Amino acid sequence: VGCSTIVQGLANAFSDRTRKKVCVVDTHILYPAQYSLLCGGISSDATSMIDWLSLEVELPKRIIDTKFKRVSLLGCYNRRITDAFSTADSMALVDTTFDKLKELFDVILVDLSHEFTQISAGSALKCNKIFTVVDPSAYCVTNITQSLNNLATSAVPFSKFKNVIVNKSTPKGVNGLGLALSRNNLDTVATIPFSKDIYQCGVSGRSIWGNASASYGIGEFNSAIDALLC
Protein backbone atom coordinates (compact mmCIF):
# COMPACT_ATOMS: atom_id res chain seq x y z
CA VAL A 1 0.00 0.00 0.00
CA GLY A 2 1.66 3.22 -1.15
CA CYS A 3 1.08 5.06 -4.41
CA SER A 4 -2.44 3.69 -4.78
CA THR A 5 -3.40 4.80 -1.26
CA ILE A 6 -2.25 8.33 -2.09
CA VAL A 7 -4.40 8.29 -5.23
CA GLN A 8 -7.37 7.14 -3.15
CA GLY A 9 -6.78 9.97 -0.69
CA LEU A 10 -6.49 12.58 -3.44
CA ALA A 11 -9.69 11.36 -5.12
CA ASN A 12 -11.67 11.63 -1.90
CA ALA A 13 -10.15 15.01 -1.06
CA PHE A 14 -10.86 16.49 -4.50
CA SER A 15 -14.46 15.31 -4.33
CA ASP A 16 -14.97 16.43 -0.74
CA ARG A 17 -13.34 19.83 -1.11
CA THR A 18 -14.55 20.86 -4.55
CA ARG A 19 -17.73 18.76 -5.10
CA LYS A 20 -16.30 17.95 -8.53
CA LYS A 21 -16.71 14.63 -10.33
CA VAL A 22 -13.53 12.58 -10.10
CA CYS A 23 -12.48 9.55 -12.14
CA VAL A 24 -9.63 7.35 -10.95
CA VAL A 25 -7.89 5.45 -13.75
CA ASP A 26 -5.99 2.36 -12.61
CA THR A 27 -3.44 1.37 -15.24
CA HIS A 28 -2.49 -1.91 -13.54
CA ILE A 29 -3.65 -4.82 -15.67
CA LEU A 30 -2.07 -7.64 -13.64
CA TYR A 31 -2.10 -6.28 -10.08
CA PRO A 32 -4.75 -3.55 -9.69
CA ALA A 33 -5.41 -2.00 -6.27
CA GLN A 34 -7.96 0.77 -6.77
CA TYR A 35 -11.02 -1.51 -6.85
CA SER A 36 -10.17 -2.77 -3.37
CA LEU A 37 -9.39 0.74 -2.12
CA LEU A 38 -12.45 2.45 -3.59
CA CYS A 39 -15.06 -0.30 -3.80
CA GLY A 40 -14.03 -3.10 -1.45
CA GLY A 41 -12.59 -6.53 -2.20
CA ILE A 42 -13.04 -8.08 -5.63
CA SER A 43 -15.61 -10.84 -5.52
CA SER A 44 -15.22 -14.36 -6.87
CA ASP A 45 -17.24 -13.48 -9.97
CA ALA A 46 -14.83 -10.71 -10.99
CA THR A 47 -14.07 -12.54 -14.22
CA SER A 48 -17.49 -11.48 -15.47
CA MET A 49 -16.99 -7.81 -14.63
CA ILE A 50 -16.92 -5.27 -17.44
CA ASP A 51 -13.68 -3.33 -17.31
CA TRP A 52 -11.36 -1.03 -19.29
CA LEU A 53 -10.36 -3.78 -21.71
CA SER A 54 -13.98 -4.79 -22.47
CA LEU A 55 -13.83 -3.10 -25.86
CA GLU A 56 -17.18 -4.51 -26.96
CA VAL A 57 -18.87 -2.21 -24.44
CA GLU A 58 -19.01 1.58 -24.82
CA LEU A 59 -16.65 3.39 -22.46
CA PRO A 60 -19.17 5.01 -20.08
CA LYS A 61 -20.48 1.53 -19.20
CA ARG A 62 -16.95 0.40 -18.32
CA ILE A 63 -16.72 3.08 -15.62
CA ILE A 64 -18.08 2.08 -12.22
CA ASP A 65 -19.30 4.04 -9.22
CA THR A 66 -17.33 3.64 -6.01
CA LYS A 67 -18.47 3.81 -2.40
CA PHE A 68 -17.26 7.43 -2.23
CA LYS A 69 -19.44 10.29 -3.44
CA ARG A 70 -18.64 11.68 -6.90
CA VAL A 71 -15.69 9.28 -7.31
CA SER A 72 -15.76 6.78 -10.20
CA LEU A 73 -13.27 4.14 -11.31
CA LEU A 74 -11.95 2.81 -14.60
CA GLY A 75 -9.64 -0.16 -14.34
CA CYS A 76 -9.01 -3.84 -15.04
CA TYR A 77 -10.25 -6.67 -12.83
CA ASN A 78 -8.93 -10.21 -12.52
CA ARG A 79 -7.01 -10.07 -15.79
CA ARG A 80 -4.13 -12.38 -16.76
CA ILE A 81 -0.75 -11.92 -18.40
CA THR A 82 -2.28 -12.76 -21.78
CA ASP A 83 -4.44 -9.64 -21.44
CA ALA A 84 -1.33 -7.51 -20.87
CA PHE A 85 0.01 -8.74 -24.21
CA SER A 86 -3.30 -8.55 -26.08
CA THR A 87 -4.17 -6.10 -28.85
CA ALA A 88 -6.69 -4.48 -26.50
CA ASP A 89 -3.74 -2.83 -24.74
CA SER A 90 -3.05 -0.02 -27.20
CA MET A 91 -2.31 3.68 -27.56
CA ALA A 92 -5.55 4.01 -29.50
CA LEU A 93 -7.43 2.83 -26.40
CA VAL A 94 -5.61 5.44 -24.31
CA ASP A 95 -6.44 8.23 -26.75
CA THR A 96 -10.15 7.46 -26.97
CA THR A 97 -10.38 6.84 -23.22
CA PHE A 98 -8.95 10.17 -22.12
CA ASP A 99 -10.84 12.14 -24.76
CA LYS A 100 -14.10 10.72 -23.38
CA LEU A 101 -13.11 11.06 -19.71
CA LYS A 102 -12.46 14.77 -20.21
CA GLU A 103 -16.07 15.11 -21.34
CA LEU A 104 -17.49 13.16 -18.41
CA PHE A 105 -15.41 14.26 -15.41
CA ASP A 106 -13.92 17.37 -13.85
CA VAL A 107 -10.80 15.67 -12.46
CA ILE A 108 -8.91 12.60 -13.71
CA LEU A 109 -6.42 10.91 -11.38
CA VAL A 110 -4.20 8.16 -12.77
CA ASP A 111 -2.63 5.36 -10.74
CA LEU A 112 0.40 4.64 -12.95
CA SER A 113 1.86 1.15 -12.91
CA HIS A 114 5.37 -0.14 -13.62
CA GLU A 115 3.95 -2.73 -16.00
CA PHE A 116 5.32 -2.47 -19.53
CA THR A 117 1.97 -1.86 -21.20
CA GLN A 118 0.63 0.64 -23.69
CA ILE A 119 -2.07 1.87 -21.32
CA SER A 120 0.48 2.66 -18.62
CA ALA A 121 2.98 4.42 -20.91
CA GLY A 122 0.22 6.21 -22.81
CA SER A 123 -1.53 7.37 -19.65
CA ALA A 124 1.73 8.88 -18.37
CA LEU A 125 1.88 10.97 -21.53
CA LYS A 126 -1.70 12.13 -21.00
CA CYS A 127 -1.06 13.35 -17.44
CA ASN A 128 -0.58 17.08 -16.87
CA LYS A 129 1.51 16.34 -13.77
CA ILE A 130 3.06 13.21 -12.27
CA PHE A 131 3.99 12.87 -8.61
CA THR A 132 6.93 10.49 -8.32
CA VAL A 133 6.42 8.45 -5.15
CA VAL A 134 9.57 7.19 -3.43
CA ASP A 135 10.35 5.53 -0.10
CA PRO A 136 13.52 4.99 1.93
CA SER A 137 13.96 1.34 0.96
CA ALA A 138 17.19 0.20 -0.67
CA TYR A 139 15.17 -1.05 -3.65
CA CYS A 140 13.75 2.41 -4.28
CA VAL A 141 16.91 4.40 -3.56
CA THR A 142 19.02 2.32 -5.95
CA ASN A 143 16.44 2.42 -8.73
CA ILE A 144 15.26 6.06 -8.70
CA THR A 145 17.50 7.06 -11.62
CA GLN A 146 16.47 3.99 -13.62
CA SER A 147 12.78 4.74 -13.06
CA LEU A 148 13.20 8.35 -14.17
CA ASN A 149 15.16 7.28 -17.23
CA ASN A 150 12.33 4.94 -18.20
CA LEU A 151 9.84 7.83 -18.01
CA ALA A 152 12.10 10.03 -20.09
CA THR A 153 12.59 7.25 -22.66
CA SER A 154 8.80 7.06 -22.92
CA ALA A 155 8.84 10.74 -23.99
CA VAL A 156 7.46 12.06 -20.69
CA PRO A 157 9.03 15.51 -20.05
CA PHE A 158 11.08 15.87 -16.86
CA SER A 159 9.02 18.92 -15.86
CA LYS A 160 6.03 16.60 -15.44
CA PHE A 161 7.60 14.22 -12.93
CA LYS A 162 10.14 16.30 -11.00
CA ASN A 163 7.87 16.62 -7.93
CA VAL A 164 8.34 13.86 -5.36
CA ILE A 165 6.26 12.43 -2.52
CA VAL A 166 8.39 10.65 0.08
CA ASN A 167 6.23 7.81 1.37
CA LYS A 168 6.74 5.45 4.34
CA SER A 169 9.32 7.81 5.76
CA THR A 170 11.05 6.74 8.98
CA PRO A 171 13.69 8.45 11.16
CA LYS A 172 16.01 5.53 10.44
CA GLY A 173 15.37 5.31 6.72
CA VAL A 174 18.02 4.00 4.36
CA ASN A 175 20.88 6.45 3.93
CA GLY A 176 21.13 7.94 0.46
CA LEU A 177 17.52 8.88 -0.35
CA GLY A 178 18.14 12.62 0.01
CA LEU A 179 21.29 12.36 -2.08
CA ALA A 180 19.49 10.36 -4.77
CA LEU A 181 16.74 12.99 -4.98
CA SER A 182 19.28 15.81 -5.12
CA ARG A 183 21.36 14.13 -7.84
CA ASN A 184 18.25 13.76 -9.99
CA ASN A 185 17.13 17.37 -9.35
CA LEU A 186 13.84 16.22 -7.80
CA ASP A 187 11.75 18.43 -5.49
CA THR A 188 10.06 16.93 -2.43
CA VAL A 189 6.52 18.35 -2.15
CA ALA A 190 5.15 16.08 0.61
CA THR A 191 6.35 13.53 3.14
CA ILE A 192 4.19 10.73 4.58
CA PRO A 193 5.48 8.68 7.53
CA PHE A 194 5.43 4.92 7.77
CA SER A 195 2.29 4.11 9.76
CA LYS A 196 0.44 0.96 10.72
CA ASP A 197 -2.78 2.98 10.84
CA ILE A 198 -2.36 4.16 7.23
CA TYR A 199 -1.67 0.58 6.16
CA GLN A 200 -4.73 -0.81 7.96
CA CYS A 201 -7.01 1.83 6.44
CA GLY A 202 -5.60 1.15 3.00
CA VAL A 203 -5.94 -2.62 2.97
CA SER A 204 -9.44 -2.46 4.47
CA GLY A 205 -10.66 0.00 1.84
CA ARG A 206 -11.40 2.73 4.40
CA SER A 207 -10.75 6.33 3.44
CA ILE A 208 -7.76 7.88 5.16
CA TRP A 209 -8.77 11.34 4.01
CA GLY A 210 -11.03 12.98 6.59
CA ASN A 211 -10.40 10.20 9.10
CA ALA A 212 -10.84 11.69 12.56
CA SER A 213 -8.27 9.34 14.10
CA ALA A 214 -5.78 10.86 16.53
CA SER A 215 -3.07 8.79 14.85
CA TYR A 216 0.05 10.81 14.00
CA GLY A 217 0.48 8.92 10.73
CA ILE A 218 -3.06 9.59 9.50
CA GLY A 219 -2.75 13.24 10.51
CA GLU A 220 0.45 13.57 8.49
CA PHE A 221 -1.12 11.74 5.54
CA ASN A 222 -4.02 14.19 5.46
CA SER A 223 -1.64 17.16 5.79
CA ALA A 224 0.28 15.83 2.78
CA ILE A 225 -2.93 15.49 0.76
CA ASP A 226 -3.82 19.07 1.73
CA ALA A 227 -0.44 20.24 0.47
CA LEU A 228 -0.89 18.43 -2.85
CA LEU A 229 -4.32 20.02 -3.37
CA CYS A 230 -2.96 23.56 -2.95
Side-chain angles (χ1 to χ4, degrees), residues 86-172:
S86 74
T87 55
D89 173 40
S90 68
M91 291 298 293
L93 174 61
V94 174
D95 289 338
T96 56
T97 294
F98 280 86
D99 286 345
K100 190 63 178 179
L101 291 181
K102 289 175 184 177
E103 297 176 6
L104 299 174
F105 296 94
D106 303 304
V107 178
I108 303 168
L109 296 175
V110 183
D111 189 352
L112 291 172
S113 78
H114 288 290
E115 297 170 3
F116 292 105
T117 63
Q118 295 291 317
I119 63 171
S120 182
S123 295
L125 290 171
K126 295 292 184 180
C127 291
N128 293 326
K129 179 183 289 187
I130 297 173
F131 290 108
T132 301
V133 180
V134 301
D135 64 49
S137 67
Y139 173 83
C140 183
V141 171
T142 56
N143 286 288
I144 287 176
T145 300
Q146 176 75 350
S147 177
L148 299 179
N149 286 341
N150 287 336
L151 279 171
T153 302
S154 301
V156 180
F158 175 73
S159 58
K160 273 191 183 184
F161 58 81
K162 66 175 297 193
N163 291 324
V164 166
I165 300 170
V166 178
N167 194 35
K168 303 176 185 174
S169 176
T170 65
K172 297 182 180 180

Side-chain angles (χ1 to χ4, degrees), residues 36-96:
S36 295
L37 291 172
L38 295 172
C39 304
I42 295 181
S43 63
S44 58
D45 64 347
T47 51
S48 64
M49 291 176 63
I50 295 172
D51 67 8
W52 194 359
L53 299 184
S54 302
L55 304 186
E56 71 280 3
V57 179
E58 59 183 12
L59 184 66
K61 292 183 179 179
R62 294 179 242 165
I63 301 167
I64 62 175
D65 295 329
T66 71
K67 60 184 179 183
F68 301 106
K69 290 182 179 179
R70 296 174 297 276
V71 177
S72 300
L73 172 64
L74 177 64
C76 299
Y77 318 115
N78 206 19
R79 291 286 179 169
R80 299 291 183 263
I81 194 168
T82 51
D83 296 299
F85 291 110
S86 74
T87 55
D89 173 40
S90 68
M91 291 298 293
L93 174 61
V94 174
D95 289 338
T96 56

